[in-house]
Amino acid sequence: MGSVRHGIRGATARRSGGRATGVLGAGLRRAGLRGTRLRRTGFGRTGFRRAGALLVVLGLGAGTAGCGTDTGSGTKVTLTVVAANYGDSVHKNSQGYWDRVALAFHAANPGVDVVAKVYPADQVDAKVAALVKQGKAPDIVQTGSYAQYAADGLLYDAEDLLSIRTQASFVPSLADAGKVGHEEYGLPFTASTRLMFYNKTLFRRAGLTPPKTWQQLLVDARVLKAQGVTYPIALPLGPQEAEAETLLWLLAGDGGYTGDTGAYSLDSAANVSTLQWLKSTLVAEGLTGPVAPAKLNLDKALEAFTNGDAAMVDAPLSLMRQIADSADSVSYGTVPLPGRDGRAVPTMGTADWILGFKQRGHRTQIGRFLDFLYRDKYVREQATEYQLLPVTTSVSDAMRANPDYKALWGGLDSLQNMRLYPLSETNWSEVATAIRRRIGAAVAPGGDPRTVLESIEKTARGR
């Protein structure tokens, strides 16, 4: 899956001379109320609903955007969609999901056909890039990145496409993560987070409870090693997906890939301190298992957990599905990776995005289809089928209140305080590659965390 900040996007009236901006401001501007001022009162969700009522009166509510009305031409349009497959040998191929949505949409909109084609998740980015290069960009793409296409001026932004209601429905951290500058080009489609899975059986035998600080985690790992556990805590910093495990630990140590300004800050003092702690404790004491972190890929770490060989591992929520499908019956629990001193820290998250390409000029029809796609029914269906997190607040709140989704509650609770990769940086893929190749050396015997992080920072800054 591809690769989350605060506040309902544009729902508050930012104080720039008091003029309404963002989603609400765009709606007012469309209504010819460009100079409208909003009183600076408690303009949260309740205020937004009240403003939404005004916009409906003005003809700007759900079902309209800069997008969704008929042109009246009667011309039939075919939208092309390229998407990633989340299915596997056990669970449904994503093609069925897109076909169901397309069929239902066409029934309500006879003048628009939707043709979707699904590709393996590790091939979809290359396929889209090839189509764009050939001048054959699809109308809609569901993928893991958006920044370069936005920088090249190829995409519609959210205000071009979506109704005000749909724009306001996104989980705020995800909506913010889809922005380049102040414009939202990446529309969240799915999200996931990483939690620390622990083997309840191994913990019970050792008389342990899930750790809440790094010191408790260290003590627990020592006890588990003494009892013969192969991987007291797996630390997959191998080339497969090291950027995820790294970000988890950096966030837990009060750092991250970017600083307060949003610029890269990989070699910050907090990040250096985190890697030094990992190197001098968990790795130096052999608590991360027989495979060096630099050579341990995520799939092998998850396999060790499902086999009962690992007591703790940071993993995506899809591990729940993997355990359920496994012949081995592992009793597990999930908790956030603890912060250094037990304080709550942001959770690392990932997301996939919907992009609307301008090339074929189908803005109205794309917008209408996306408003349909983001209905609660389809958002919930996508999330529950593949153990992912919903991207809208209404579905998230409903699932959090429903005991049927208790296994996902930990992930749902993390949505509001989630941090994603710096996807708005056009060189993020290059930086991620550098992390995969180099970060394991930072915690290896003889490795120097500061030197490794400084080298990756130079890559990030193009030096």
Side-chain angles (χ1 to χ4, degrees):
M1 210 178 86
S3 339
V4 283
R5 291 169 200 174
H6 335 336
I8 292 179
R9 183 190 183 279
T12 55
R14 288 189 288 273
R15 195 71 169 172
S16 176
R19 192 170 71 86
T21 60
V23 175
L24 177 57
L28 293 172
R29 289 193 296 275
R30 291 182 193 123
L33 302 178
R34 184 175 295 272
T36 299
R37 292 173 177 266
L38 301 173
R39 288 182 302 155
R40 195 178 186 186
T41 58
F43 198 71
R45 289 188 184 180
T46 300
F48 191 86
R49 285 195 295 268
R50 289 172 183 162
L54 169 63
L55 295 172
V56 169
V57 171
L58 295 171
L60 295 166
T64 70
C67 67
T69 56
D70 275 314
T71 61
S73 66
T75 303
K76 194 166 183 119
V77 169
T78 297
L79 296 179
T80 56
V81 179
V82 170
N85 183 23
Y86 292 88
D88 53 31
S89 59
V90 177
H91 292 266
K92 297 175 182 177
N93 188 296
S94 295
Q95 187 70 54
Y97 170 84
W98 286 100
D99 289 347
R100 287 192 299 276
V101 177
L103 185 64
F105 175 77
H106 178 71
N109 300 268
V112 184
D113 288 328
V114 178
V115 178
K117 188 164 181 58
V118 168
Y119 294 90
D122 60 354
Q123 297 177 20
V124 68
D125 286 352
K127 180 64 178 178
V128 172
L131 289 170
V132 171
K133 186 175 182 179
Q134 296 165 16
K136 301 176 181 178
D139 293 297
I140 298 167
V141 168
Q142 181 262 302
T143 186
S145 60
Y146 57 82
Q148 190 60 58
Y149 296 128
D152 292 342
L154 302 179
L155 304 180
Y156 293 115
D157 68 28
E159 289 183 1
D160 290 330
L161 297 174
L162 301 178
S163 70
I164 292 165
R165 179 176 296 175
T166 300
Q167 289 181 68
S169 72
F170 292 136
V171 171
S173 59
L174 296 176
D176 283 350
K179 294 178 183 176
V180 176
H182 298 293
E183 302 298 329
E184 187 179 351
Y185 292 100
L187 313 178
F189 178 65
T190 61
S192 187
T193 188
R194 305 244 168 158
L195 297 174
M196 191 178 79
F197 285 66
Y198 66 95
N199 185 310
K200 286 186 174 181
T201 302
L202 296 178
F203 266 67
R204 185 171 58 251
R205 288 176 185 168
L208 302 173
T209 56
K212 296 182 179 179
T213 67
W214 286 6
Q215 182 59 31
Q216 290 174 7
L217 187 151
L218 176 60
V219 170
D220 288 353
R222 288 169 175 165
V223 172
L224 291 160
K225 181 183 179 183
Q227 294 210 347
V229 176
T230 306
Y231 291 89
I233 178 166
L235 187 64
L237 296 179
Q240 184 185 49
E241 206 174 343
E243 69 273 25
E245 182 75 8
T246 302
L247 182 55
L248 270 169
W249 280 100
L250 297 186
L251 290 171
D254 293 324
Y257 288 149
T258 57
D260 293 339
T261 64
Y264 283 119
S265 184
L266 289 117
D267 58 351
S268 68
N271 291 346
V272 172
S273 176
T274 292
L275 294 187
Q276 286 175 336
W277 185 86
L278 289 172
K279 177 179 182 288
S280 64
T281 56
L282 298 183
V283 178
E285 296 183 31
L287 304 176
T288 56
V291 179
K295 296 184 178 179
L296 183 63
N297 280 329
L298 178 64
D299 58 354
K300 294 301 180 183
L302 301 187
E303 183 180 309
F305 189 84
T306 59
N307 291 342
D309 293 330
M312 292 179 279
V313 66
D314 298 318
L317 301 180
S318 57
L319 180 57
M320 298 176 186
R321 187 180 77 192
Q322 190 173 331
I323 293 171
D325 295 340
S326 172
D328 300 301
S329 180
V330 177
S331 177
Y332 68 91
T334 61
V335 293
L337 179 67
R340 184 188 293 270
D341 58 6
R343 287 179 299 158
V345 294
T347 302
M348 175 265 174
T350 59
D352 274 0
W353 309 93
I354 293 286
L355 317 180
F357 278 83
K358 295 178 178 178
Q359 183 178 324
R360 301 176 70 211
H362 294 153
R363 179 176 63 92
T364 296
Q365 294 83 3
I366 293 172
R368 194 184 309 151
F369 176 72
L370 294 182
D371 278 336
F372 191 88
L373 177 70
Y374 283 112
R375 291 182 177 182
D376 286 1
K377 167 184 170 65
Y378 300 115
V379 172
R380 182 171 53 251
E381 181 181 335
Q382 171 70 5
T384 56
E385 177 64 29
Y386 301 108
Q387 295 296 111
L388 297 168
L389 299 176
V391 298
T392 62
T393 54
S394 57
V395 177
S396 174
D397 291 346
M399 290 175 66
R400 187 59 181 83
N402 188 337
D404 290 344
Y405 303 114
K406 187 173 183 179
L408 293 175
W409 283 0
L412 291 167
D413 289 343
S414 74
L415 275 172
Q416 303 302 332
N417 195 27
M418 190 180 281
R419 298 292 183 273
L420 273 71
Y421 302 133
L423 298 172
S424 62
E425 298 288 346
T426 57
N427 69 338
W428 165 242
S429 61
E430 181 182 352
V431 175
T433 298
I435 294 170
R436 293 186 205 116
R437 291 176 176 172
R438 305 176 201 169
I439 202 68
V443 300
D448 182 357
R450 184 181 300 279
T451 299
V452 171
L453 288 172
E454 286 176 347
S455 75
I456 299 173
E457 179 73 11
K458 288 180 179 178
T459 297
R461 295 183 180 271
R463 300 200 300 266

CSV table of all heavy atoms in Angstrom, one decimal, residues 316-363:
chain,number,residue,atom,x,y,z
A,316,PRO,N,1.3,-3.7,10.1
A,316,PRO,CA,0.1,-3.1,9.6
A,316,PRO,C,-1.1,-3.9,10.1
A,316,PRO,O,-1.0,-5.1,10.5
A,316,PRO,CB,0.2,-3.2,8.1
A,316,PRO,CG,1.2,-4.3,7.8
A,316,PRO,CD,2.1,-4.3,9.0
A,317,LEU,N,-2.3,-3.3,10.0
A,317,LEU,CA,-3.5,-4.0,10.5
A,317,LEU,C,-3.8,-5.3,9.7
A,317,LEU,O,-4.5,-6.2,10.2
A,317,LEU,CB,-4.7,-3.1,10.5
A,317,LEU,CG,-4.5,-1.8,11.3
A,317,LEU,CD1,-5.8,-0.9,11.2
A,317,LEU,CD2,-4.3,-2.1,12.8
A,318,SER,N,-3.3,-5.3,8.5
A,318,SER,CA,-3.5,-6.5,7.7
A,318,SER,C,-2.9,-7.8,8.3
A,318,SER,O,-3.3,-8.9,7.9
A,318,SER,CB,-3.0,-6.3,6.3
A,318,SER,OG,-1.6,-6.0,6.3
A,319,LEU,N,-2.0,-7.7,9.3
A,319,LEU,CA,-1.5,-8.8,9.9
A,319,LEU,C,-2.7,-9.6,10.6
A,319,LEU,O,-2.6,-10.8,10.7
A,319,LEU,CB,-0.5,-8.5,11.0
A,319,LEU,CG,0.2,-9.6,11.7
A,319,LEU,CD1,0.8,-10.7,10.8
A,319,LEU,CD2,1.2,-9.1,12.8
A,320,MET,N,-3.7,-8.9,11.0
A,320,MET,CA,-4.9,-9.6,11.6
A,320,MET,C,-5.5,-10.6,10.6
A,320,MET,O,-5.8,-11.8,11.0
A,320,MET,CB,-5.9,-8.6,12.0
A,320,MET,CG,-5.5,-7.6,13.1
A,320,MET,SD,-6.8,-6.4,13.4
A,320,MET,CE,-6.0,-5.3,14.5
A,321,ARG,N,-5.6,-10.2,9.4
A,321,ARG,CA,-6.1,-11.1,8.3
A,321,ARG,C,-5.1,-12.2,8.1
A,321,ARG,O,-5.6,-13.4,7.9
A,321,ARG,CB,-6.3,-10.3,7.1
A,321,ARG,CG,-7.0,-11.0,5.9
A,321,ARG,CD,-7.2,-10.1,4.7
A,321,ARG,NE,-5.9,-10.0,4.0
A,321,ARG,CZ,-5.7,-9.1,3.0
A,321,ARG,NH1,-6.7,-8.2,2.7
A,321,ARG,NH2,-4.6,-9.0,2.4
A,322,GLN,N,-3.9,-11.9,8.1
A,322,GLN,CA,-2.8,-12.9,7.8
A,322,GLN,C,-2.9,-14.0,8.9
A,322,GLN,O,-2.8,-15.2,8.7
A,322,GLN,CB,-1.5,-12.3,7.8
A,322,GLN,CG,-0.3,-13.2,7.3
A,322,GLN,CD,1.0,-12.4,7.2
A,322,GLN,OE1,1.0,-11.2,6.9
A,322,GLN,NE2,2.1,-13.1,7.4
A,323,ILE,N,-3.1,-13.6,10.2
A,323,ILE,CA,-3.2,-14.5,11.3
A,323,ILE,C,-4.4,-15.4,11.2
A,323,ILE,O,-4.4,-16.6,11.4
A,323,ILE,CB,-3.1,-13.8,12.6
A,323,ILE,CG1,-1.7,-13.2,12.8
A,323,ILE,CG2,-3.4,-14.7,13.8
A,323,ILE,CD1,-1.7,-12.2,14.0
A,324,ALA,N,-5.5,-14.7,10.8
A,324,ALA,CA,-6.8,-15.4,10.7
A,324,ALA,C,-6.7,-16.5,9.6
A,324,ALA,O,-7.3,-17.6,9.7
A,324,ALA,CB,-7.9,-14.5,10.4
A,325,ASP,N,-6.0,-16.2,8.5
A,325,ASP,CA,-5.9,-17.1,7.4
A,325,ASP,C,-4.8,-18.2,7.7
A,325,ASP,O,-4.7,-19.2,6.9
A,325,ASP,CB,-5.5,-16.4,6.1
A,325,ASP,CG,-6.6,-15.5,5.7
A,325,ASP,OD1,-7.8,-15.7,6.1
A,325,ASP,OD2,-6.4,-14.5,4.9
A,326,SER,N,-4.0,-18.0,8.7
A,326,SER,CA,-2.9,-18.9,9.0
A,326,SER,C,-3.3,-20.2,9.6
A,326,SER,O,-4.3,-20.2,10.4
A,326,SER,CB,-1.8,-18.2,9.9
A,326,SER,OG,-0.8,-19.1,10.3
A,327,ALA,N,-2.6,-21.3,9.4
A,327,ALA,CA,-2.9,-22.6,10.0
A,327,ALA,C,-2.5,-22.5,11.5
A,327,ALA,O,-3.1,-23.2,12.3
A,327,ALA,CB,-2.1,-23.7,9.4
A,328,ASP,N,-1.6,-21.6,11.9
A,328,ASP,CA,-1.2,-21.5,13.3
A,328,ASP,C,-2.2,-20.5,14.0
A,328,ASP,O,-2.6,-19.6,13.4
A,328,ASP,CB,0.2,-20.9,13.4
A,328,ASP,CG,1.3,-21.8,12.7
A,328,ASP,OD1,1.4,-22.9,13.1
A,328,ASP,OD2,1.9,-21.3,11.8
A,329,SER,N,-2.5,-20.9,15.2
A,329,SER,CA,-3.4,-20.1,16.0
A,329,SER,C,-2.6,-19.2,17.0
A,329,SER,O,-2.2,-19.7,18.1
A,329,SER,CB,-4.4,-21.0,16.7
A,329,SER,OG,-5.3,-20.2,17.5
A,330,VAL,N,-2.3,-18.0,16.7
A,330,VAL,CA,-1.6,-17.1,17.5
A,330,VAL,C,-2.5,-16.2,18.3
A,330,VAL,O,-3.3,-15.5,17.7
A,330,VAL,CB,-0.6,-16.3,16.7
A,330,VAL,CG1,0.2,-15.3,17.6
A,330,VAL,CG2,0.4,-17.2,16.0
A,331,SER,N,-2.4,-16.3,19.6
A,331,SER,CA,-3.2,-15.3,20.4
A,331,SER,C,-2.5,-14.0,20.6
A,331,SER,O,-1.3,-14.0,21.1
A,331,SER,CB,-3.5,-16.0,21.8
A,331,SER,OG,-4.2,-15.1,22.6
A,332,TYR,N,-3.1,-13.0,20.1
A,332,TYR,CA,-2.3,-11.7,20.0
A,332,TYR,C,-3.1,-10.5,20.6
A,332,TYR,O,-4.3,-10.6,20.6
A,332,TYR,CB,-1.9,-11.4,18.6
A,332,TYR,CG,-3.0,-11.1,17.7
A,332,TYR,CD1,-3.4,-9.7,17.5
A,332,TYR,CD2,-3.7,-12.0,17.0
A,332,TYR,CE1,-4.5,-9.4,16.7
A,332,TYR,CE2,-4.8,-11.7,16.1
A,332,TYR,CZ,-5.2,-10.4,16.0
A,332,TYR,OH,-6.2,-10.1,15.2
A,333,GLY,N,-2.4,-9.5,20.9
A,333,GLY,CA,-3.0,-8.2,21.3
A,333,GLY,C,-2.3,-7.1,20.5
A,333,GLY,O,-1.2,-7.4,19.9
A,334,THR,N,-2.9,-5.9,20.5
A,334,THR,CA,-2.2,-4.8,19.8
A,334,THR,C,-2.2,-3.6,20.7
A,334,THR,O,-3.2,-3.3,21.5
A,334,THR,CB,-2.9,-4.4,18.5
A,334,THR,OG1,-4.3,-4.1,18.8
A,334,THR,CG2,-2.9,-5.6,17.5
A,335,VAL,N,-1.1,-2.9,20.7
A,335,VAL,CA,-1.0,-1.6,21.4
A,335,VAL,C,-0.1,-0.7,20.5
A,335,VAL,O,0.6,-1.1,19.7
A,335,VAL,CB,-0.3,-1.8,22.8
A,335,VAL,CG1,-1.2,-2.6,23.7
A,335,VAL,CG2,1.1,-2.4,22.6
A,336,PRO,N,-0.2,0.6,20.8
A,336,PRO,CA,0.7,1.5,20.0
A,336,PRO,C,2.1,1.3,20.5
A,336,PRO,O,2.4,0.9,21.6
A,336,PRO,CB,0.2,2.9,20.5
A,336,PRO,CG,-1.1,2.7,21.0
A,336,PRO,CD,-1.2,1.4,21.6
A,337,LEU,N,3.1,1.4,19.6
A,337,LEU,CA,4.5,1.4,20.0
A,337,LEU,C,4.7,2.5,21.1
A,337,LEU,O,4.4,3.6,20.8
A,337,LEU,CB,5.4,1.7,18.8
A,337,LEU,CG,6.9,1.7,19.1
A,337,LEU,CD1,7.4,0.3,19.5
A,337,LEU,CD2,7.7,2.2,17.9
A,338,PRO,N,5.2,2.1,22.2
A,338,PRO,CA,5.3,3.1,23.3
A,338,PRO,C,6.3,4.2,23.0
A,338,PRO,O,7.2,4.0,22.3
A,338,PRO,CB,5.8,2.3,24.5
A,338,PRO,CG,6.4,1.1,23.9
A,338,PRO,CD,5.7,0.8,22.7
A,339,GLY,N,6.0,5.4,23.5
A,339,GLY,CA,6.9,6.5,23.4
A,339,GLY,C,8.0,6.3,24.4
A,339,GLY,O,8.0,5.5,25.3
A,340,ARG,N,9.1,7.1,24.3
A,340,ARG,CA,10.3,6.9,25.1
A,340,ARG,C,9.9,6.9,26.6
A,340,ARG,O,10.4,6.0,27.3
A,340,ARG,CB,11.3,8.0,24.8
A,340,ARG,CG,12.6,7.8,25.5
A,340,ARG,CD,13.5,9.1,25.3
A,340,ARG,NE,13.9,9.2,23.9
A,340,ARG,CZ,15.1,8.7,23.4
A,340,ARG,NH1,15.8,8.0,24.2
A,340,ARG,NH2,15.4,8.9,22.2
A,341,ASP,N,9.2,7.9,27.0
A,341,ASP,CA,8.9,8.0,28.4
A,341,ASP,C,7.4,7.7,28.8
A,341,ASP,O,6.9,8.0,29.9
A,341,ASP,CB,9.3,9.3,29.0
A,341,ASP,CG,8.6,10.5,28.2
A,341,ASP,OD1,7.7,10.2,27.4
A,341,ASP,OD2,8.9,11.7,28.5
A,342,GLY,N,6.7,7.1,27.8
A,342,GLY,CA,5.3,6.8,28.1
A,342,GLY,C,4.3,7.8,27.6
A,342,GLY,O,3.1,7.5,27.7
A,343,ARG,N,4.7,9.0,27.2
A,343,ARG,CA,3.8,10.0,26.7
A,343,ARG,C,3.2,9.5,25.4
A,343,ARG,O,3.8,8.8,24.6
A,343,ARG,CB,4.5,11.3,26.5
A,343,ARG,CG,4.8,12.0,27.8
A,343,ARG,CD,5.5,13.3,27.5
A,343,ARG,NE,6.8,13.1,26.8
A,343,ARG,CZ,7.4,14.0,26.1
A,343,ARG,NH1,6.8,15.2,25.9
A,343,ARG,NH2,8.5,13.8,25.5
A,344,ALA,N,2.0,10.0,25.1
A,344,ALA,CA,1.3,9.7,23.8
A,344,ALA,C,2.1,10.3,22.7
A,344,ALA,O,2.6,11.5,22.8
A,344,ALA,CB,-0.1,10.1,23.8
A,345,VAL,N,2.4,9.6,21.6
A,345,VAL,CA,3.1,10.1,20.5
A,345,VAL,C,2.3,9.9,19.2
A,345,VAL,O,1.4,9.0,19.2
A,345,VAL,CB,4.5,9.5,20.4
A,345,VAL,CG1,5.4,9.8,21.5
A,345,VAL,CG2,4.3,7.9,20.2
A,346,PRO,N,2.5,10.6,18.2
A,346,PRO,CA,1.8,10.4,16.9
A,346,PRO,C,2.1,9.0,16.4
A,346,PRO,O,3.1,8.4,16.7
A,346,PRO,CB,2.4,11.4,16.0
A,346,PRO,CG,3.0,12.5,16.8
A,346,PRO,CD,3.4,11.8,18.1
A,347,THR,N,1.1,8.5,15.7
A,347,THR,CA,1.2,7.1,15.1
A,347,THR,C,1.6,7.2,13.6
A,347,THR,O,1.1,8.1,12.9
A,347,THR,CB,-0.1,6.4,15.3
A,347,THR,OG1,-0.5,6.3,16.6
A,347,THR,CG2,0.0,5.0,14.7
A,348,MET,N,2.4,6.3,13.2
A,348,MET,CA,2.8,6.3,11.8
A,348,MET,C,1.6,5.7,11.0
A,348,MET,O,1.0,4.7,11.4
A,348,MET,CB,4.1,5.4,11.6
A,348,MET,CG,4.5,5.2,10.2
A,348,MET,SD,3.8,3.7,9.6
A,348,MET,CE,4.3,3.8,7.9
A,349,GLY,N,1.3,6.4,9.9
A,349,GLY,CA,0.2,5.9,9.1
A,349,GLY,C,0.6,5.8,7.6
A,349,GLY,O,1.6,6.5,7.2
A,350,THR,N,-0.2,5.1,6.8
A,350,THR,CA,0.0,5.1,5.4
A,350,THR,C,-1.3,5.3,4.7
A,350,THR,O,-2.4,5.1,5.4
A,350,THR,CB,0.6,3.8,4.9
A,350,THR,OG1,-0.3,2.7,5.3
A,350,THR,CG2,2.0,3.5,5.4
A,351,ALA,N,-1.3,5.7,3.5
A,351,ALA,CA,-2.6,6.0,2.8
A,351,ALA,C,-2.4,5.7,1.3
A,351,ALA,O,-1.3,5.9,0.8
A,351,ALA,CB,-3.1,7.4,3.0
A,352,ASP,N,-3.5,5.4,0.6
A,352,ASP,CA,-3.5,5.4,-0.8
A,352,ASP,C,-4.5,6.5,-1.3
A,352,ASP,O,-5.4,6.9,-0.5
A,352,ASP,CB,-4.0,4.1,-1.4
A,352,ASP,CG,-2.8,3.1,-1.5
A,352,ASP,OD1,-1.7,3.4,-1.2
A,352,ASP,OD2,-3.1,1.9,-1.9
A,353,TRP,N,-4.3,7.0,-2.5
A,353,TRP,CA,-4.9,8.2,-2.9
A,353,TRP,C,-5.7,8.0,-4.2
A,353,TRP,O,-5.4,7.2,-5.0
A,353,TRP,CB,-3.9,9.3,-3.1
A,353,TRP,CG,-3.0,9.4,-1.9
A,353,TRP,CD1,-1.8,8.8,-1.7
A,353,TRP,CD2,-3.3,10.2,-0.7
A,353,TRP,NE1,-1.3,9.1,-0.5
A,353,TRP,CE2,-2.2,10.0,0.2
A,353,TRP,CE3,-4.3,11.0,-0.3
A,353,TRP,CZ2,-2.1,10.5,1.4
A,353,TRP,CZ3,-4.3,11.6,0.9
A,353,TRP,CH2,-3.2,11.4,1.8
A,354,ILE,N,-6.7,8.9,-4.4
A,354,ILE,CA,-7.4,9.0,-5.6
A,354,ILE,C,-7.0,10.3,-6.3
A,354,ILE,O,-6.9,11.4,-5.7
A,354,ILE,CB,-9.0,9.1,-5.4
A,354,ILE,CG1,-9.5,7.8,-4.8
A,354,ILE,CG2,-9.7,9.5,-6.7
A,354,ILE,CD1,-9.6,6.7,-5.9
A,355,LEU,N,-6.6,10.2,-7.6
A,355,LEU,CA,-6.2,11.3,-8.4
A,355,LEU,C,-7.2,11.5,-9.5
A,355,LEU,O,-7.6,10.6,-10.2
A,355,LEU,CB,-4.8,11.1,-8.9
A,355,LEU,CG,-3.7,10.6,-8.0
A,355,LEU,CD1,-2.4,10.4,-8.7
A,355,LEU,CD2,-3.6,11.4,-6.7
A,356,GLY,N,-7.5,12.8,-9.8
A,356,GLY,CA,-8.3,13.1,-11.0
A,356,GLY,C,-7.5,13.8,-12.0
A,356,GLY,O,-7.0,14.9,-11.8
A,357,PHE,N,-7.2,13.2,-13.2
A,357,PHE,CA,-6.4,13.7,-14.2
A,357,PHE,C,-7.2,14.6,-15.2
A,357,PHE,O,-8.3,14.3,-15.5
A,357,PHE,CB,-5.7,12.6,-15.0
A,357,PHE,CG,-4.5,12.1,-14.4
A,357,PHE,CD1,-4.6,11.1,-13.4
A,357,PHE,CD2,-3.2,12.6,-14.7
A,357,PHE,CE1,-3.4,10.6,-12.7
A,357,PHE,CE2,-2.1,12.1,-14.1
A,357,PHE,CZ,-2.2,11.1,-13.1
A,358,LYS,N,-6.5,15.7,-15.5
A,358,LYS,CA,-7.2,16.7,-16.4
A,358,LYS,C,-7.2,16.4,-17.9
A,358,LYS,O,-8.0,16.9,-18.6
A,358,LYS,CB,-6.5,18.1,-16.3
A,358,LYS,CG,-6.5,18.7,-14.9
A,358,LYS,CD,-5.7,20.0,-14.9
A,358,LYS,CE,-5.7,20.8,-13.6
A,358,LYS,NZ,-4.9,22.0,-13.7
A,359,GLN,N,-6.4,15.5,-18.3
A,359,GLN,CA,-6.1,15.3,-19.7
A,359,GLN,C,-7.3,15.2,-20.6
A,359,GLN,O,-7.4,15.9,-21.6
A,359,GLN,CB,-5.2,14.1,-20.0
A,359,GLN,CG,-4.8,14.0,-21.4
A,359,GLN,CD,-3.8,12.8,-21.6
A,359,GLN,OE1,-3.0,12.5,-20.8
A,359,GLN,NE2,-4.0,12.1,-22.7
A,360,ARG,N,-8.3,14.4,-20.2
A,360,ARG,CA,-9.4,14.2,-21.1
A,360,ARG,C,-10.6,15.1,-20.8
A,360,ARG,O,-11.6,15.0,-21.5
A,360,ARG,CB,-9.9,12.7,-20.9
A,360,ARG,CG,-8.8,11.7,-21.2
A,360,ARG,CD,-9.2,10.3,-21.0
A,360,ARG,NE,-10.2,9.8,-21.9
A,360,ARG,CZ,-11.2,9.0,-21.7
A,360,ARG,NH1,-11.3,8.4,-20.5
A,360,ARG,NH2,-12.0,8.6,-22.6
A,361,GLY,N,-10.4,16.0,-19.8
A,361,GLY,CA,-11.4,17.1,-19.6
A,361,GLY,C,-12.7,16.7,-19.0
A,361,GLY,O,-13.7,17.4,-19.2
A,362,HIS,N,-12.7,15.6,-18.3
A,362,HIS,CA,-14.0,15.1,-17.8
A,362,HIS,C,-14.2,15.5,-16.3
A,362,HIS,O,-14.6,14.7,-15.5
A,362,HIS,CB,-14.0,13.5,-17.9
A,362,HIS,CG,-14.1,13.0,-19.3
A,362,HIS,ND1,-13.6,11.8,-19.6
A,362,HIS,CD2,-14.5,13.6,-20.4
A,362,HIS,CE1,-13.8,11.6,-20.9
A,362,HIS,NE2,-14.3,12.7,-21.4
A,363,ARG,N,-14.0,16.7,-16.0
A,363,ARG,CA,-14.0,17.2,-14.6
A,363,ARG,C,-15.4,16.9,-14.0
A,363,ARG,O,-15.5,16.5,-12.9
A,363,ARG,CB,-13.7,18.7,-14.6
A,363,ARG,CG,-13.8,19.3,-13.2
A,363,ARG,CD,-13.4,20.8,-13.2
A,363,ARG,NE,-14.3,21.6,-14.0
A,363,ARG,CZ,-15.4,22.2,-13.5
A,363,ARG,NH1,-15.7,22.1,-12.2
A,363,ARG,NH2,-16.1,22.9,-14.3
